[in-house]
């Protein structure tokens, strides 16, 4: 059964929507984020991990504007850890964001400035408010593509460096068939 979500079809039709910027990340571009280096080295570096369709109506850094994006995260694991997005804080610390689930199953992993990490289940229709100062990353815990939408301020910016250097304080891994933070 196909559920048609207008915003999703806007991003997926042949034109991909006017003004939509598509970006993609391969496993090779996610080097260092997974714990199990042996398992990672067995996987092809050019395998697609996720794609992001972004609608950026304002110039980056414009205060007061809103950006919209849809991420399609493919299913898979590296050892017992699920495929996941790179994850980031916002450059402007106090900028918030909404994520909401469109299709598939996953978990939104969140970490505050004190490095407390928690997770929220993502599913079609789930809504997630990410307050400023909270790093965010999504893992696909299912067997099909996980799609979610995001809306964030056009002056938020992405700070990948801290997560690339220090990671989150917990990892989402599969234990006895279910996702657990470790
Ligand atoms: O703005 C966001 O938070 C999202 O659109 C993400 O950029 C997207 O999900 C990809 O994740 P990341 O930017 O952490 O690679
Ligand atoms: Ni963000």
């Amino acid at each position: 059964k196909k559920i048609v979500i207008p915003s999703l079809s806007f991003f997926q039709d042949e034109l991909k929507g006017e003004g939509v910027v598509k970006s993609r990340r391969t496993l090779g571009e996610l080097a260092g984020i997974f714990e199990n280096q042996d398992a990672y080295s067995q996987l092809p570096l050019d395998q697609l991990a996720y794609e992001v369709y972004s609608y950026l109506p304002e110039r980056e850094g414009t205060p007061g504007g809103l950006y919209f994006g849809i991420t399609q995260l493919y299913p898979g694991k590296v050892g017992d850890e699920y495929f996941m997005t790179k994850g980031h804080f916002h450059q402007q610390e106090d900028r918030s964001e909404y994520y909401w689930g469109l299709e598939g199953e996953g978990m939104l992993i969140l970490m505050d400035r004190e490095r407390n990490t928690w997770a929220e289940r993502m599913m079609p229709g789930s809504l997630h408010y990410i307050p400023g100062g909270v790093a965010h990353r999504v893992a696909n815990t299912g067997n099909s593509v996980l799609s979610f939408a995001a809306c964030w301020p056009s002056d938020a910016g992405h700070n990948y460096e801290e997560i690339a250097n220090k990671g989150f304080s917990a990892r989402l891994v599969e234990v006895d068939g279910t996702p657990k933070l470790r």
Side-chain angles (χ1 to χ4, degrees):
K1 194 169 79 184
K2 189 156 163 57
I3 301 166
V4 178
I5 299 155
S7 55
L8 188 59
S9 58
F10 170 74
F11 280 82
Q12 288 184 326
D13 68 16
E14 269 150 43
L15 299 169
K16 296 289 182 211
E18 212 180 310
V20 172
V21 179
K22 184 180 173 181
S23 64
R24 62 207 299 277
R25 281 213 207 274
T26 59
L27 286 177
E29 292 167 297
L30 298 177
I33 77 165
F34 298 103
E35 185 169 49
N36 188 331
Q37 288 304 306
D38 282 345
Y40 178 78
S41 65
Q42 314 281 306
L43 295 169
L45 294 178
D46 60 357
Q47 189 179 326
L48 195 54
Y50 58 96
E51 288 166 293
V52 186
Y53 298 93
S54 303
Y55 181 56
L56 314 169
E58 313 286 348
R59 196 192 318 183
E60 173 109 54
T62 305
L66 290 171
Y67 287 168
F68 179 76
I70 289 180
T71 302
Q72 298 195 291
L73 174 58
Y74 294 97
K77 281 191 293 174
V78 179
D80 59 3
E81 200 171 9
Y82 302 100
F83 279 13
M84 58 188 176
T85 59
K86 245 180 130 137
H88 57 271
F89 284 101
H90 289 156
Q91 203 83 48
Q92 293 233 49
E93 287 268 343
D94 63 353
R95 298 304 193 260
S96 312
E97 182 162 6
Y98 277 111
Y99 275 10
W100 61 102
L102 297 174
E103 60 181 331
E105 303 166 37
M107 294 278 254
L108 169 61
I109 305 159
L110 300 158
M111 182 176 76
D112 67 17
R113 276 272 146 229
E114 285 71 51
R115 298 188 57 77
N116 300 304
T117 298
W118 67 102
E120 296 176 7
R121 275 192 62 202
M122 294 183 95
M123 64 199 92
S126 63
L127 180 66
H128 310 269
Y129 179 66
I130 304 163
V134 173
H136 39 289
R137 154 181 285 169
V138 172
N140 185 339
T141 58
N143 300 315
S144 60
V145 64
L146 170 68
S147 294
F148 63 93
C151 183
W152 68 102
S154 46
D155 62 354
H158 293 78
N159 169 10
Y160 290 104
E161 209 183 320
E162 272 200 60
I163 295 300
N165 293 339
K166 299 209 288 194
F168 281 64
S169 64
R171 292 178 177 279
L172 193 75
V173 295
E174 188 177 271
V175 180
D176 300 329
T178 51
K180 290 259 155 60
L181 274 180
R182 178 172 73 200

